[in-house]
Amino acid sequence: MKNAGIDAWLVICRENYNDPIATHVGGENASGTAAFLFYTDSAGFHSLVFSPEGEATALDDLDIHEKVERVPRGESAVAKAVEFIKENGFSKVAINSSESNEMADGLTHSQYLDLAKLMGSDVNKLISSDELVYEWLSIKLPEEVEILKKSCAASLGFSI
């Protein structure tokens, strides 16, 4: 996030039309609209999910996010995320809207309109997650590095 120059990243996942980055943030099984918020502050990096009740239990059980907030039926996960964004005074919030990076272009037009309305006069704080998604996807876990090493060796006829 530091390399991309942003304070927070908001990924909105929903059933039947999910964001391309959903599997990377734990939102691939969205059964209702959920908002995944990643941010940094003086204490470090945080992940906070605003999720409908049923999915929140499953997300909590996975234990991959620092905090999962349950959103009661009839309330908006996105509105809860925007409230948190405003309370914390983030100046640059990346959203998945991009002209050149399909992995950073999952926000639908109707989702953007809803988000812009909720942001109100702070809508200018929303920026493309383009650079952030490139950074996010470029970092490999140790397990991924091992798979890549084995793949390269196999393609050259070596074994590891």
Side-chain angles (χ1 to χ4, degrees), residues 1-128:
M1 292 176 65
K2 182 179 179 181
N3 289 347
I6 62 144
D7 303 314
W9 180 27
L10 177 62
V11 179
I12 300 172
C13 296
R14 70 180 188 185
E15 187 176 28
N16 297 327
Y17 190 83
N18 223 340
D19 191 285
I21 207 80
T23 57
H24 296 268
V25 300
E28 66 272 19
N29 297 316
S31 59
T33 300
F36 293 74
L37 186 64
F38 304 92
Y39 64 97
T40 56
D41 62 16
S42 60
F45 175 80
H46 306 280
S47 63
L48 171 60
V49 182
F50 298 91
S51 176
E53 290 280 347
E55 185 178 326
T57 301
L59 282 167
D60 243 351
D61 289 346
L62 288 173
D63 200 30
I64 58 175
H65 293 284
E66 187 174 14
K67 185 175 182 184
V68 177
E69 281 201 21
R70 289 166 164 67
V71 178
R73 182 181 288 269
E75 293 184 27
S76 166
V78 177
K80 299 275 187 192
V82 168
E83 183 179 318
F84 185 86
I85 288 167
K86 288 182 174 187
E87 285 173 1
N88 285 276
F90 299 128
S91 61
K92 289 186 180 178
V93 179
I95 57 172
N96 288 356
S97 180
S98 172
E99 292 180 12
S100 60
N101 181 349
E102 66 185 35
M103 290 299 289
D105 194 32
L107 196 67
T108 67
H109 182 66
S110 60
Q111 288 172 322
Y112 177 79
L113 291 176
D114 181 44
L115 180 57
K117 181 180 176 186
L118 291 166
M119 289 292 290
S121 62
D122 291 329
V123 71
N124 61 334
K125 294 180 178 184
L126 301 177
I127 62 169
S128 173

Side-chain angles (χ1 to χ4, degrees), residues 24 135-146 148:
H24 296 268
E135 290 285 336
W136 178 278
L137 295 176
S138 71
I139 298 170
K140 302 296 180 217
L141 298 171
E143 296 85 358
E144 292 174 302
V145 171
E146 286 305 310
L148 290 169

